[in-house]
Amino acid sequence: MNLEFYRPTLEALTPYIEGYYFIAPGTHADNLHYWTFPNNYFIVSVSQGVTIEMEKNRLLVRPSAQQTVLSNFVSRYTTPIEVLYDGPILEITIYFKPLGINHFIENPHSLFERNTALDFNPFSDFIPNMNEILSTSDRSLQRKKLEAYWLSKLQIREFRHLKEVLFALESEEKIEDIAHRHGFSRQYLSKLFNKVIGKSPVEYRKIHRFRAAIANQKNMKSLTELSYESMFYDQSHLIKDFKQLTSVNPYTFFKKVDTNQECLWLFI
């Protein structure tokens, strides 16, 4: 199968959508099997003519004779998810940035409570429009239709304090100090984060630190240097988090995963 990743071309979408990719039948094998690792995005996938089986930490997608459109989302995961496409399929997957989905869907808290589900259908015209996009053969036209659709749903909301908190969480400032500086208790900040981000500040920072280490790794000479440049206490802290978030140590992870790809997957 072929996978093509894109950044939004519409500038109005770039603060809220990290990117999206298309999966389509190709000239090579029609099976795709990989592990995907925790991130801080809200991820929406839409597929045409498939059946989907979702278990804990495993997603199985198979072609179906029924040309219905299924849409699922993942808002939170702290361990790797195994994904298996057993046959050719058509799919669009969209990565919404932290806070991003809040600018398209009013009060997505009920979605965050479930972490993941197979019934993402936020608007009455969502499935018909996604079906039309998936049925379009021209990639450029698909992209225009997809971005135009999400632009039509954009409702910019004010999250000034939370944007500042997110920025601070990506530094080494203590979470309690961040909360107090914005007039919150740590408990209230955690409650607010779960409502609009879908995870706690501690979890958000842990995943951000992990992703930062991956981005920094190519410029580092050792794991010790990588640890300090990526806000870990020391090398042992980095190794511990990598084992929790990827189920392997960082040596194995960096050996087996192509960190230059937009989609950070370990293929099986």
Side-chain angles (χ1 to χ4, degrees):
M1 285 189 287
N2 292 330
L3 185 149
E4 298 175 6
F5 183 93
Y6 300 96
R7 305 285 181 184
T9 58
L10 296 179
E11 188 175 346
L13 295 178
T14 57
Y16 316 108
I17 296 178
E18 178 71 18
Y20 53 87
Y21 64 78
F22 296 88
I23 295 179
T27 56
H28 303 293
D30 286 325
N31 290 341
L32 186 62
H33 194 189
Y34 62 87
W35 288 94
T36 181
F37 305 101
N39 58 56
N40 283 322
Y41 300 135
F42 183 94
I43 305 170
V44 173
S45 293
V46 188
S47 305
Q48 185 185 67
V50 300
T51 61
I52 300 177
E53 297 177 23
M54 184 179 288
E55 304 171 0
K56 184 179 180 181
N57 299 329
R58 190 172 191 267
L59 191 70
L60 174 61
V61 184
R62 290 191 175 104
S64 169
Q66 301 294 322
Q67 290 303 302
T68 54
V69 172
L70 296 181
S71 180
N72 64 284
F73 74 88
V74 177
S75 66
R76 176 180 179 268
Y77 61 111
T78 56
T79 56
I81 296 177
E82 180 186 6
V83 182
L84 172 60
Y85 294 95
D86 189 14
I89 61 113
L90 292 171
E91 178 183 293
I92 302 168
T93 291
I94 307 159
Y95 291 161
F96 291 89
K97 293 181 179 181
L99 285 175
I101 194 65
N102 292 273
H103 295 278
F104 300 94
I105 301 173
E106 188 171 355
N107 190 21
H109 180 51
S110 60
L111 301 178
F112 293 141
E113 287 180 333
R114 293 188 290 168
N115 296 331
T116 182
L118 293 173
D119 57 351
F120 181 78
N121 188 13
F123 315 109
S124 61
D125 64 348
F126 179 72
I127 295 299
N129 274 272
M130 293 302 107
N131 188 40
E132 178 185 347
I133 294 168
L134 285 165
S135 299
T136 300
S137 58
D138 181 84
R139 178 71 78 235
S140 178
L141 185 56
Q142 279 185 307
R143 295 184 64 194
K144 288 180 180 178
K145 288 182 176 181
L146 181 67
E147 293 190 24
Y149 179 79
W150 284 108
L151 183 62
S152 74
K153 304 301 182 184
L154 180 60
Q155 298 288 331
I156 299 175
R157 298 182 171 90
E158 180 56 56
F159 291 104
R160 183 173 61 86
H161 288 300
L162 277 174
K163 288 178 182 177
E164 293 172 0
V165 170
L166 283 175
F167 183 78
L169 281 173
E170 295 170 4
S171 72
E172 296 185 80
E173 186 177 1
K174 292 181 180 180
I175 294 176
E176 187 170 357
D177 291 342
I178 295 171
H180 289 168
R181 182 157 52 83
H182 288 86
F184 304 143
S185 68
R186 180 164 179 162
Q187 292 77 13
Y188 177 78
L189 179 62
S190 182
K191 181 179 179 180
L192 185 60
F193 244 68
N194 277 289
K195 183 177 180 180
V196 298
I197 301 288
K199 52 180 65 72
S200 70
V202 171
E203 187 177 319
Y204 179 92
R205 171 172 278 178
K206 182 176 183 178
I207 292 173
H208 173 79
R209 190 169 52 211
F210 159 68
R211 289 281 171 165
I214 294 169
N216 293 336
Q217 185 266 341
K218 65 187 71 174
N219 299 317
M220 300 295 114
K221 296 178 181 179
S222 66
L223 284 186
T224 299
E225 183 180 2
L226 179 62
S227 302
Y228 293 123
E229 288 297 322
S230 306
M231 299 193 306
F232 291 91
Y233 302 128
D234 52 29
Q235 181 175 318
S236 296
H237 184 202
L238 180 144
I239 292 172
K240 178 183 177 182
D241 276 12
F242 262 75
K243 285 184 176 180
Q244 289 177 347
L245 295 171
T246 72
S247 298
V248 296
N249 64 50
Y251 301 100
T252 301
F253 181 88
F254 288 121
K255 181 179 180 181
K256 293 188 175 183
V257 176
D258 184 354
T259 58
N260 292 315
Q261 297 298 312
E262 297 288 354
C263 299
L264 199 68
W265 296 342
L266 194 162
F267 290 95
I268 302 173

mmCIF file of all heavy atoms in Angstrom, residues 118-144:
data_model
loop_
_atom_site.group_PDB
_atom_site.id
_atom_site.type_symbol
_atom_site.label_atom_id
_atom_site.label_comp_id
_atom_site.label_asym_id
_atom_site.label_seq_id
_atom_site.Cartn_x
_atom_site.Cartn_y
_atom_site.Cartn_z
ATOM 1 N N LEU A 118 -14.802 3.854 17.849
ATOM 2 C CA LEU A 118 -15.018 3.592 16.425
ATOM 3 C C LEU A 118 -16.173 4.400 15.844
ATOM 4 O O LEU A 118 -16.559 4.172 14.695
ATOM 5 C CB LEU A 118 -15.308 2.098 16.210
ATOM 6 C CG LEU A 118 -14.155 1.140 16.507
ATOM 7 C CD1 LEU A 118 -14.631 -0.308 16.409
ATOM 8 C CD2 LEU A 118 -12.997 1.381 15.553
ATOM 9 N N ASP A 119 -16.713 5.341 16.591
ATOM 10 C CA ASP A 119 -17.928 6.026 16.139
ATOM 11 C C ASP A 119 -17.750 7.544 16.106
ATOM 12 O O ASP A 119 -18.612 8.290 16.536
ATOM 13 C CB ASP A 119 -19.103 5.663 17.044
ATOM 14 C CG ASP A 119 -18.840 5.983 18.514
ATOM 15 O OD1 ASP A 119 -17.688 6.322 18.848
ATOM 16 O OD2 ASP A 119 -19.783 5.906 19.315
ATOM 17 N N PHE A 120 -16.629 8.013 15.575
ATOM 18 C CA PHE A 120 -16.406 9.448 15.466
ATOM 19 C C PHE A 120 -17.238 10.000 14.308
ATOM 20 O O PHE A 120 -16.986 9.702 13.137
ATOM 21 C CB PHE A 120 -14.924 9.737 15.234
ATOM 22 C CG PHE A 120 -14.603 11.212 15.145
ATOM 23 C CD1 PHE A 120 -14.509 11.981 16.291
ATOM 24 C CD2 PHE A 120 -14.404 11.826 13.913
ATOM 25 C CE1 PHE A 120 -14.210 13.339 16.222
ATOM 26 C CE2 PHE A 120 -14.102 13.180 13.834
ATOM 27 C CZ PHE A 120 -14.003 13.938 14.997
ATOM 28 N N ASN A 121 -18.248 10.788 14.636
ATOM 29 C CA ASN A 121 -19.139 11.355 13.623
ATOM 30 C C ASN A 121 -19.676 12.689 14.154
ATOM 31 O O ASN A 121 -20.827 12.795 14.559
ATOM 32 C CB ASN A 121 -20.286 10.386 13.318
ATOM 33 C CG ASN A 121 -21.129 10.833 12.146
ATOM 34 O OD1 ASN A 121 -20.752 11.732 11.389
ATOM 35 N ND2 ASN A 121 -22.287 10.211 11.975
ATOM 36 N N PRO A 122 -18.836 13.730 14.175
ATOM 37 C CA PRO A 122 -19.164 14.959 14.903
ATOM 38 C C PRO A 122 -20.179 15.875 14.217
ATOM 39 O O PRO A 122 -20.749 16.746 14.881
ATOM 40 C CB PRO A 122 -17.806 15.658 15.001
ATOM 41 C CG PRO A 122 -17.065 15.197 13.780
ATOM 42 C CD PRO A 122 -17.492 13.777 13.584
ATOM 43 N N PHE A 123 -20.408 15.704 12.912
ATOM 44 C CA PHE A 123 -21.309 16.594 12.188
ATOM 45 C C PHE A 123 -22.221 15.767 11.279
ATOM 46 O O PHE A 123 -21.847 14.681 10.825
ATOM 47 C CB PHE A 123 -20.523 17.591 11.327
ATOM 48 C CG PHE A 123 -19.362 18.236 12.026
ATOM 49 C CD1 PHE A 123 -18.060 17.904 11.688
ATOM 50 C CD2 PHE A 123 -19.569 19.172 13.023
ATOM 51 C CE1 PHE A 123 -16.978 18.489 12.328
ATOM 52 C CE2 PHE A 123 -18.504 19.765 13.679
ATOM 53 C CZ PHE A 123 -17.198 19.417 13.329
ATOM 54 N N SER A 124 -23.395 16.305 10.990
ATOM 55 C CA SER A 124 -24.358 15.575 10.158
ATOM 56 C C SER A 124 -23.848 15.333 8.740
ATOM 57 O O SER A 124 -24.244 14.370 8.085
ATOM 58 C CB SER A 124 -25.691 16.341 10.106
ATOM 59 O OG SER A 124 -25.499 17.627 9.529
ATOM 60 N N ASP A 125 -22.941 16.203 8.273
ATOM 61 C CA ASP A 125 -22.417 16.049 6.910
ATOM 62 C C ASP A 125 -21.024 15.421 6.876
ATOM 63 O O ASP A 125 -20.378 15.386 5.823
ATOM 64 C CB ASP A 125 -22.396 17.403 6.194
ATOM 65 C CG ASP A 125 -21.448 18.400 6.860
ATOM 66 O OD1 ASP A 125 -20.993 18.126 7.991
ATOM 67 O OD2 ASP A 125 -21.163 19.446 6.246
ATOM 68 N N PHE A 126 -20.556 14.934 8.027
ATOM 69 C CA PHE A 126 -19.181 14.439 8.098
ATOM 70 C C PHE A 126 -18.976 13.187 7.236
ATOM 71 O O PHE A 126 -18.094 13.155 6.361
ATOM 72 C CB PHE A 126 -18.805 14.143 9.553
ATOM 73 C CG PHE A 126 -17.410 13.605 9.730
ATOM 74 C CD1 PHE A 126 -16.311 14.428 9.561
ATOM 75 C CD2 PHE A 126 -17.192 12.277 10.070
ATOM 76 C CE1 PHE A 126 -15.021 13.937 9.717
ATOM 77 C CE2 PHE A 126 -15.912 11.779 10.228
ATOM 78 C CZ PHE A 126 -14.822 12.607 10.057
ATOM 79 N N ILE A 127 -19.756 12.153 7.469
ATOM 80 C CA ILE A 127 -19.579 10.902 6.738
ATOM 81 C C ILE A 127 -19.799 11.087 5.231
ATOM 82 O O ILE A 127 -18.978 10.613 4.424
ATOM 83 C CB ILE A 127 -20.494 9.801 7.303
ATOM 84 C CG1 ILE A 127 -20.072 9.456 8.745
ATOM 85 C CG2 ILE A 127 -20.441 8.549 6.432
ATOM 86 C CD1 ILE A 127 -18.658 8.935 8.899
ATOM 87 N N PRO A 128 -20.860 11.775 4.779
ATOM 88 C CA PRO A 128 -21.021 11.992 3.330
ATOM 89 C C PRO A 128 -19.829 12.713 2.697
ATOM 90 O O PRO A 128 -19.379 12.347 1.608
ATOM 91 C CB PRO A 128 -22.295 12.828 3.238
ATOM 92 C CG PRO A 128 -23.061 12.481 4.468
ATOM 93 C CD PRO A 128 -22.038 12.277 5.530
ATOM 94 N N ASN A 129 -19.296 13.719 3.370
ATOM 95 C CA ASN A 129 -18.157 14.446 2.820
ATOM 96 C C ASN A 129 -16.894 13.600 2.810
ATOM 97 O O ASN A 129 -16.124 13.633 1.836
ATOM 98 C CB ASN A 129 -17.920 15.741 3.607
ATOM 99 C CG ASN A 129 -18.743 16.889 3.105
ATOM 100 O OD1 ASN A 129 -18.334 17.628 2.199
ATOM 101 N ND2 ASN A 129 -19.919 17.056 3.677
ATOM 102 N N MET A 130 -16.664 12.827 3.864
ATOM 103 C CA MET A 130 -15.490 11.963 3.888
ATOM 104 C C MET A 130 -15.597 10.874 2.817
ATOM 105 O O MET A 130 -14.609 10.516 2.171
ATOM 106 C CB MET A 130 -15.326 11.319 5.271
ATOM 107 C CG MET A 130 -14.988 12.301 6.379
ATOM 108 S SD MET A 130 -13.473 13.273 6.125
ATOM 109 C CE MET A 130 -14.184 14.894 5.753
ATOM 110 N N ASN A 131 -16.802 10.372 2.593
ATOM 111 C CA ASN A 131 -17.012 9.371 1.552
ATOM 112 C C ASN A 131 -16.693 9.949 0.174
ATOM 113 O O ASN A 131 -16.037 9.301 -0.663
ATOM 114 C CB ASN A 131 -18.461 8.876 1.585
ATOM 115 C CG ASN A 131 -18.690 7.698 0.666
ATOM 116 O OD1 ASN A 131 -17.860 6.800 0.557
ATOM 117 N ND2 ASN A 131 -19.824 7.694 -0.029
ATOM 118 N N GLU A 132 -17.117 11.185 -0.060
ATOM 119 C CA GLU A 132 -16.835 11.834 -1.341
ATOM 120 C C GLU A 132 -15.335 12.030 -1.535
ATOM 121 O O GLU A 132 -14.796 11.797 -2.630
ATOM 122 C CB GLU A 132 -17.545 13.190 -1.401
ATOM 123 C CG GLU A 132 -17.269 13.967 -2.686
ATOM 124 C CD GLU A 132 -17.872 15.351 -2.672
ATOM 125 O OE1 GLU A 132 -18.699 15.649 -1.791
ATOM 126 O OE2 GLU A 132 -17.483 16.157 -3.542
ATOM 127 N N ILE A 133 -14.652 12.440 -0.472
ATOM 128 C CA ILE A 133 -13.205 12.662 -0.569
ATOM 129 C C ILE A 133 -12.471 11.349 -0.826
ATOM 130 O O ILE A 133 -11.569 11.272 -1.671
ATOM 131 C CB ILE A 133 -12.687 13.347 0.710
ATOM 132 C CG1 ILE A 133 -13.270 14.761 0.810
ATOM 133 C CG2 ILE A 133 -11.158 13.393 0.730
ATOM 134 C CD1 ILE A 133 -13.065 15.420 2.153
ATOM 135 N N LEU A 134 -12.855 10.300 -0.102
ATOM 136 C CA LEU A 134 -12.219 9.003 -0.297
ATOM 137 C C LEU A 134 -12.480 8.442 -1.692
ATOM 138 O O LEU A 134 -11.656 7.694 -2.236
ATOM 139 C CB LEU A 134 -12.702 8.014 0.765
ATOM 140 C CG LEU A 134 -12.121 8.201 2.172
ATOM 141 C CD1 LEU A 134 -12.945 7.424 3.193
ATOM 142 C CD2 LEU A 134 -10.665 7.759 2.224
ATOM 143 N N SER A 135 -13.604 8.797 -2.284
ATOM 144 C CA SER A 135 -13.959 8.297 -3.617
ATOM 145 C C SER A 135 -13.314 9.108 -4.734
ATOM 146 O O SER A 135 -13.406 8.730 -5.909
ATOM 147 C CB SER A 135 -15.486 8.321 -3.795
ATOM 148 O OG SER A 135 -16.120 7.496 -2.829
ATOM 149 N N THR A 136 -12.668 10.219 -4.394
ATOM 150 C CA THR A 136 -11.999 11.050 -5.387
ATOM 151 C C THR A 136 -10.629 10.473 -5.706
ATOM 152 O O THR A 136 -9.850 10.174 -4.801
ATOM 153 C CB THR A 136 -11.853 12.495 -4.853
ATOM 154 O OG1 THR A 136 -13.149 13.025 -4.573
ATOM 155 C CG2 THR A 136 -11.147 13.384 -5.859
ATOM 156 N N SER A 137 -10.332 10.306 -6.958
ATOM 157 C CA SER A 137 -9.078 9.651 -7.356
ATOM 158 C C SER A 137 -7.902 10.616 -7.458
ATOM 159 O O SER A 137 -6.751 10.201 -7.351
ATOM 160 C CB SER A 137 -9.254 8.937 -8.701
ATOM 161 O OG SER A 137 -9.666 9.852 -9.707
ATOM 162 N N ASP A 138 -8.181 11.898 -7.656
ATOM 163 C CA ASP A 138 -7.115 12.886 -7.807
ATOM 164 C C ASP A 138 -6.651 13.371 -6.434
ATOM 165 O O ASP A 138 -7.431 13.943 -5.675
ATOM 166 C CB ASP A 138 -7.615 14.072 -8.641
ATOM 167 C CG ASP A 138 -6.541 15.122 -8.860
ATOM 168 O OD1 ASP A 138 -5.739 14.945 -9.800
ATOM 169 O OD2 ASP A 138 -6.491 16.085 -8.076
ATOM 170 N N ARG A 139 -5.369 13.135 -6.106
ATOM 171 C CA ARG A 139 -4.866 13.466 -4.771
ATOM 172 C C ARG A 139 -4.938 14.966 -4.483
ATOM 173 O O ARG A 139 -5.304 15.376 -3.372
ATOM 174 C CB ARG A 139 -3.427 12.969 -4.613
ATOM 175 C CG ARG A 139 -2.791 13.296 -3.285
ATOM 176 C CD ARG A 139 -3.393 12.488 -2.132
ATOM 177 N NE ARG A 139 -2.879 11.140 -2.110
ATOM 178 C CZ ARG A 139 -3.614 10.029 -2.120
ATOM 179 N NH1 ARG A 139 -4.944 10.137 -2.176
ATOM 180 N NH2 ARG A 139 -3.079 8.833 -2.080
ATOM 181 N N SER A 140 -4.591 15.784 -5.450
ATOM 182 C CA SER A 140 -4.637 17.228 -5.239
ATOM 183 C C SER A 140 -6.051 17.695 -4.920
ATOM 184 O O SER A 140 -6.258 18.519 -4.016
ATOM 185 C CB SER A 140 -4.111 17.957 -6.482
ATOM 186 O OG SER A 140 -4.192 19.355 -6.321
ATOM 187 N N LEU A 141 -7.010 17.145 -5.628
ATOM 188 C CA LEU A 141 -8.414 17.508 -5.383
ATOM 189 C C LEU A 141 -8.869 16.982 -4.020
ATOM 190 O O LEU A 141 -9.619 17.663 -3.303
ATOM 191 C CB LEU A 141 -9.297 16.960 -6.498
ATOM 192 C CG LEU A 141 -10.785 17.353 -6.446
ATOM 193 C CD1 LEU A 141 -10.942 18.871 -6.408
ATOM 194 C CD2 LEU A 141 -11.527 16.752 -7.635
ATOM 195 N N GLN A 142 -8.428 15.794 -3.653
ATOM 196 C CA GLN A 142 -8.742 15.252 -2.328
ATOM 197 C C GLN A 142 -8.271 16.202 -1.235
ATOM 198 O O GLN A 142 -9.001 16.495 -0.285
ATOM 199 C CB GLN A 142 -8.070 13.892 -2.137
ATOM 200 C CG GLN A 142 -8.794 12.716 -2.755
ATOM 201 C CD GLN A 142 -8.102 11.420 -2.386
ATOM 202 O OE1 GLN A 142 -6.892 11.264 -2.578
ATOM 203 N NE2 GLN A 142 -8.865 10.480 -1.868
ATOM 204 N N ARG A 143 -7.052 16.681 -1.366
ATOM 205 C CA ARG A 143 -6.485 17.571 -0.358
ATOM 206 C C ARG A 143 -7.287 18.877 -0.264
ATOM 207 O O ARG A 143 -7.564 19.363 0.831
ATOM 208 C CB ARG A 143 -5.023 17.868 -0.679
ATOM 209 C CG ARG A 143 -4.100 16.660 -0.604
ATOM 210 C CD ARG A 143 -2.662 17.067 -0.840
ATOM 211 N NE ARG A 143 -2.205 17.958 0.223
ATOM 212 C CZ ARG A 143 -1.079 18.680 0.139
ATOM 213 N NH1 ARG A 143 -0.341 18.634 -0.953
ATOM 214 N NH2 ARG A 143 -0.713 19.445 1.154
ATOM 215 N N LYS A 144 -7.639 19.424 -1.401
ATOM 216 C CA LYS A 144 -8.418 20.664 -1.406
ATOM 217 C C LYS A 144 -9.768 20.465 -0.729
ATOM 218 O O LYS A 144 -10.215 21.293 0.068
ATOM 219 C CB LYS A 144 -8.604 21.155 -2.843
ATOM 220 C CG LYS A 144 -7.343 21.708 -3.481
ATOM 221 C CD LYS A 144 -7.606 22.166 -4.911
ATOM 222 C CE LYS A 144 -6.338 22.723 -5.545
ATOM 223 N NZ LYS A 144 -6.562 23.134 -6.950
#
